Amino acid sequence: MAQKVSIPKGTRDFSPLEMARRNYIFETIRDVYKLYGFQPIETPSMELLSTLMGKYGEEGDKLLFKILNSGDFAKKANPEHWNTKNINKLTSQIAEKGLRYDLTVPFARYVVQNRNDITFPFKRFQIQPVWRADRPQKGRYREFMQCDADVIGSNALVHEAELVMIIDEVFKRLGINVTVKLNSRKLLTAIAELVGKPELITAITVSIDKLDKIGIDKVREELIQAGLTSDDVEKVIPIIELKGSNAEKLNKLVQLFESNEAAVEGKKEIDTVLAYLKNYDMTNDVEFDLALARGLNYYTGCIIEVKANDAQMGSICGGGRYDDLTGIFGLKDVSGVGISFGADRIYDVLEQLDKFPETTLQGPTVMLVNFGEKEMEYAFKAAIALRKAGIAAEVYPDQVKMKKQMNYANAKNFPYVIMVGENEINDNTYTLKNMTSGEQSTSSLNDVINQLSN
RNA sequence: GUGGUUGUAGCUCAGUUGGUUAGAGCACUGGAUUGUGGUUCCAGGGGUCGUGGGUUCAAUUCCCAUCAUCCACCCCA
């Protein structure tokens, strides 16, 4: 009996149709990135664990796929660690590589390693898969594509504004309505300082980030659990619950925070970015949202997150400014800012909303029907001429029933089929059939090429 | 890591209050239709009912375990 085959949890195969649709997403993002002056790079699938570990928080370390060393790796492992189940020490002895968890940290490594050859500010984009040993669920895979654009070596807030414009343009082209949420990590720092517990910044941000999902009461509970007093909580809640337009929220912010230094800086960041955006005709909404936090703890300035308005899905794009990511690798005072589109989630949203364009369904342009030996030769030559003219052509390889050949053309979504039999050979003509309308006409090869070239 | 869901044909799923030949739709193959597909009709192939154990005269069905799956939490794209 046949062996039951499958692929690892959280991974997927992609059919020709799915590839066409994925490429449509990648091309759209790539085109917009290029339009804003970004250039592509690629980095290896695996990085040294020393590069990856500790950059994504404790949770992140757990979610890294680690690659077992080659050869007799067991020899190098200290048996004591086996016995005491000291996983951390043990992994460092038997695994020195891991699959990349995102594209930002490898990029920071790339910049530090190639700093002498890079002209700053450096704008790069990168579209590659990343891996996380997460438990899969809706919109969550263990292998998925990220489409990153980052600027490194410039503090200017114009980049934040342009990144928002890129997001707007990409989703406009894809036909997805989104809300771009904007906040600053500095305002979150200010909140932690306001209650006099700066060390709780991570726990606080994690809790308030859930406001949308779990509601204000649960957030209160979580904040208390995180170590805030109820007095503290009553100070925090009005801030994250601020309502009104972006300008109104920003104004009220001043009163709530008074002259907290971090708050002033954070507000200025948001002000500046929104001022830049006034020059641009946004298709989607930009919302200043104090409850936006984002998990990755390397962010220091503006943070950005995008949600689809018409689909149930986690964030489909996110990013922010990180002031010290290259510092970890020994290159100080280089600020970076970037965004990342989650292509797989965007795919799921497009599918849910049925927004893929028709053209992603289309197969090669024309199939030539195979009627017999003589006809095959005639058709084969025609296919060569068609390809020379830049038209994707294919001759059906076997002499089987017409019905079967037409079924094949149908299944493969050929928009056109060419039929050549005895009559056509005698007259040196070709019968071209439009598969959507069913119309067909007989003419010379040049005419056929002209018709298909449009 | 925690909680729940579901495992029956290639795919999507019925079904059996435990009983001897396990069903449908889609897909596939052949025919109606030997140069015309996407519509229709007929026929056919394909399943040790996830795996292991238990209860029973008898288990695909009940019980236990295990694996896989999907969903939710944690966290995140």
Side-chain angles (χ1 to χ4, degrees), chain A residues 201-214:
Chain A
I201 171 96
T202 307
I204 294 172
T205 53
V206 166
S207 302
I208 65 178
D209 194 36
K210 293 183 199 163
L211 179 61
D212 265 357
K213 210 168 175 181
I214 63 175

Side-chain angles (χ1 to χ4, degrees), chain A residues 42 57 75 77 80 108 155 198 261 277 301 346 395 427 448 454:
Chain A
E42 289 197 0
K75 212 189 285 178
E80 219 174 277
N155 289 312
E261 201 180 314
L277 289 176
I346 292 172
V395 183
D427 303 347
V448 169
N454 304 332

Side-chain angles (χ1 to χ4, degrees), chain A residues 182 246 250 269-278 286 288:
Chain A
L182 203 62
N246 291 338
L250 283 162
E269 285 174 5
I270 305 289
D271 280 337
T272 311
V273 173
L274 290 177
Y276 274 119
L277 289 176
K278 285 225 169 82
V286 177
F288 169 48

Side-chain angles (χ1 to χ4, degrees), chain A residues 16 30 36 47 59 73 96 101 118 124 150 157 195 199 205 237 264 305 360 372 395 428 448:
Chain A
R30 203 193 318 270
Y36 281 80
E47 292 277 344
E59 277 305 311
F73 58 85
E96 59 184 22
Y101 181 90
I118 293 173
R124 83 86 173 79
D150 289 80
L157 287 160
V195 297
E199 73 281 1
T205 53
I237 294 289
V264 171
E305 194 162 284
T360 58
V395 183
N428 196 25
V448 169

Side-chain angles (χ1 to χ4, degrees), chain A residues 77-107:
Chain A
N78 184 338
E80 219 174 277
H81 298 324
W82 278 109
N83 295 334
T84 56
K85 302 246 193 297
N86 192 331
I87 300 298
N88 284 341
K89 289 226 167 110
L90 196 58
T91 38
S92 66
Q93 288 175 341
I94 62 176
E96 59 184 22
K97 301 176 289 296
L99 294 177
R100 63 166 168 252
Y101 181 90
D102 70 359
L103 300 177
T104 308
V105 168
F107 174 53

Side-chain angles (χ1 to χ4, degrees), chain A residues 215-233:
Chain A
I216 192 75
D217 293 330
K218 293 263 181 182
V219 171
R220 246 192 207 99
E221 273 173 41
E222 286 215 8
L223 285 172
I224 301 262
Q225 213 157 25
L228 298 197
T229 66
S230 37
D231 276 359
D232 294 341
V233 173

